[in-house]
């Protein structure tokens, strides 16, 4: 499974631009609930979620002014921030949902909804480009009568 994950990661990094990779990353967090609500037009007021994310960001000290400014996407030139995973060295900045969601002290519902709409577009583009490269049986469990998967 580890080799399969590495292979898919390499394929995705080559095929998807940064915005689509970020959208896929966000879809793997609890924010997927908000994306589904927005996409299904169930809700458009996320003030409680925004406050929750801001509090979480404050706990991780992500909203302070001393935060690094990343002008090159996800690459850092600081040699002190080289991560070693297995035996390979990486200079990649850890993905942050706060950066991808553009969460800051001034984030409001309108900003958050606009960011989520961009993420939905990124997911749709990524899904249309996605190729797995392996044969794999996938099962979808649902209590609904229709089995149409949702984002």
């Amino acid at each position: 499974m580890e080799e399969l994950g590495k292979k898919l990661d390499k394929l995705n990094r080559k095929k998807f631009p940064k915005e689509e990779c970020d959208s896929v990353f966000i879809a793997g967090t609890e924010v997927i609930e908000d994306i589904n609500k927005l996409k299904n037009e169930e809700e458009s007021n996320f003030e409680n979620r925004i406050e929750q994310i801001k509090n979480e960001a404050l706990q991780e000290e992500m909203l302070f002014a001393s935060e690094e400014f990343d002008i090159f996407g996800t690459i850092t030139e600081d040699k002190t921030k080289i991560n070693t995973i297995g035996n390979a060295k990486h200079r990649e900045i850890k993905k942050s949902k706060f950066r991808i969601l553009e969460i800051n002290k001034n984030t409001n519902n309108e900003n958050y909804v606009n960011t989520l709409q961009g993420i939905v577009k990124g997911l749709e583009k990524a899904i249309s480009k996605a190729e797995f490269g392996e044969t794999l049986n996938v099962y979808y469990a649902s209590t609904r009568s229709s089995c149409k998967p949702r984002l």
Side-chain angles (χ1 to χ4, degrees):
M1 285 305 265
E2 184 177 345
E3 288 300 316
L4 178 62
K6 287 179 183 178
K7 180 179 176 182
L8 288 175
D9 190 43
K10 285 181 184 178
L11 286 172
N12 288 342
R13 287 172 186 250
K14 287 179 184 176
K15 189 175 283 192
F16 301 151
K18 179 185 180 304
E19 293 78 21
E20 292 173 17
C21 284
D22 289 348
S23 295
V24 171
F25 172 79
I26 287 296
T29 67
E30 74 279 356
V31 178
I32 190 69
E33 296 170 11
D34 296 345
I35 293 169
N36 282 332
K37 287 177 183 176
L38 185 68
K39 184 142 174 70
N40 295 324
E41 299 177 1
E42 293 174 11
E43 187 176 342
S44 61
N45 185 357
F46 300 103
E47 292 295 335
N48 291 336
R49 174 73 79 179
I50 294 167
E51 287 305 313
Q52 177 187 359
I53 293 172
K54 282 182 182 180
N55 289 334
E56 188 178 336
L58 282 172
Q59 289 176 350
E60 293 188 24
E61 299 179 2
M62 294 295 295
L63 294 182
F64 294 122
S66 64
E67 185 177 351
E68 291 180 22
F69 186 72
D70 180 20
I71 60 172
F72 298 107
T74 59
I75 303 297
T76 181
E77 292 298 324
D78 185 353
K79 302 283 191 237
T80 63
K81 296 193 177 184
I82 295 174
N83 295 324
T84 303
I85 301 173
N87 289 328
K89 292 186 177 187
H90 303 276
R91 289 186 301 153
E92 186 171 329
I93 296 174
K94 182 181 172 187
K95 285 200 180 282
S96 167
K97 71 178 177 183
F98 311 115
R99 289 183 185 175
I100 296 169
L101 293 171
E102 300 173 8
I103 297 295
N104 59 48
K105 293 176 183 175
N106 301 321
T107 302
N108 59 27
N109 193 65
E110 183 179 347
N111 301 119
Y112 187 69
V113 168
N114 288 338
T115 302
L116 288 181
Q117 289 171 339
I119 289 170
V120 168
K121 288 178 185 174
L123 282 171
E124 289 170 347
K125 287 179 185 177
I127 289 170
S128 69
K129 293 180 187 178
E131 291 180 16
F132 190 61
E134 299 286 332
T135 303
L136 192 68
N137 293 327
V138 178
Y139 298 93
Y140 179 77
S142 175
T143 57
R144 296 179 182 195
S145 60
S146 72
C147 290
K148 184 179 177 186
R150 300 183 334 194
L151 279 178

